[in-house]
Amino acid sequence: MRNIWTIARKELNSYFRSPIAYSVLAVFAVIFGYFFYTILSMFLVQTLTRAQVAQMYGQNMPPVNVNDMVIRPLLLNMSVICLFLVPMITMRLFAEEKKTGTIELLMTSPITDVQLVLGKFWAALMLYASMLGMTLLYVLVLFRYGYPDWKPLVAGYLGQLLLGCCFLSIGLLFSTFTRNQLIAGSLTFFVLLLLWILDWSSDYSGNWWVQIAHYVSLTPHIENFSKGVIDLKDTVYYLSVIALGLFFSVRSVESVRWRA
């Protein structure tokens, strides 16, 4: 465990000694803030319109659900933002080590391949968790002036954490394949985008392979979490993708050690 933390701390220092961490956090904060302002403004307009209509007809105002009208679309938009930003986090993890030649030092150090992969994954996960933590400031505004249900919110954030881990494990795997960060980031984004839109074909066909594509796609599983539903099927899917990504990353690093 000490070796894993040592690797993670080294990677975190590398993130914050370069513009990567600050750029990712800043871009995420600006885009998420824009979505929050836009969605909240639409919610307030719709609420005011409902109140005026109810007053016009002498009726009670119908209840509004902050979770469905604000938090759920906000979490889905957060997933899309992370789809673009996570490749920036993972593209350098192994590609930079290969480019600078420090991968040889890591291969000869007294750490195992599993510890190396988990350490780098843990560092990327902490940076991703920092992004999620920033969004809690916006959520506190909703609790200050509204009455959202905290249980679906917890389920939604759990889904975002699992989805982010899937993104990171896939990005980590592609970073082990090349020494070029741009190639690693591009491949990661391409695969993540493919997994994201894979479910679209299920709207037009009912073949067996479409059902497989529906399950493999990332989109249906995150939608259940955003609704506040923690389904065992979705949880197993995310954990399986994370485990496979880390497993193949370890095997890829082992191949580098073998070739060295």
Side-chain angles (χ1 to χ4, degrees), residues 20-68:
I20 294 179
Y22 303 103
S23 300
V24 169
L25 293 174
V27 171
F28 180 80
V30 171
I31 299 178
F32 185 85
Y34 171 78
F35 280 126
F36 178 80
Y37 172 79
T38 303
I39 293 173
L40 186 60
S41 298
M42 294 173 59
F43 170 74
L44 294 176
V45 170
Q46 293 176 6
T47 303
L48 181 60
T49 302
R50 290 185 180 185
Q52 291 175 343
V53 172
Q55 184 179 10
M56 183 183 303
Y57 292 97
Q59 301 174 350
N60 294 327
M61 177 180 171
V64 293
N65 192 315
V66 179
N67 290 82
D68 289 338

Side-chain angles (χ1 to χ4, degrees), residues 7 19 31 35 67 72 75 102 122 152 164 173 197 201-202 208 219:
I7 295 295
I31 299 178
F35 280 126
N67 290 82
R72 185 187 173 195
L75 291 177
T102 54
W122 183 246
L173 173 61
I197 66 176
S201 60
S202 63
W208 61 269
T219 312

Side-chain angles (χ1 to χ4, degrees), residues 81-130:
I81 301 173
C82 294
L83 180 69
F84 289 88
L85 294 183
V86 166
M88 297 177 59
I89 298 177
T90 59
M91 65 182 184
R92 61 169 300 279
L93 290 175
F94 279 97
E96 186 179 24
E97 302 281 7
K98 291 184 176 182
K99 183 178 180 180
T100 58
T102 54
I103 188 67
E104 297 178 359
L105 296 177
L106 292 175
M107 294 295 99
T108 56
S109 61
I111 58 175
T112 65
D113 298 328
V114 174
Q115 292 172 340
L116 179 59
V117 169
L118 290 181
K120 289 181 174 290
F121 176 78
W122 183 246
L125 178 57
M126 284 190 284
L127 180 56
Y128 177 79
S130 300

Side-chain angles (χ1 to χ4, degrees), residues 10 28-29 37 47 60 76 86 90 95 101 108 116 124 134 138 140 146-147 165 192 198 201 209 249 259:
K10 169 184 172 296
F28 180 80
Y37 172 79
T47 303
N60 294 327
L76 292 176
V86 166
T90 59
T108 56
L116 179 59
M134 294 170 54
Y138 299 94
L140 291 177
Y147 303 95
C165 289
L192 294 181
L198 201 58
S201 60
W209 61 270
S249 296
R259 289 195 302 267

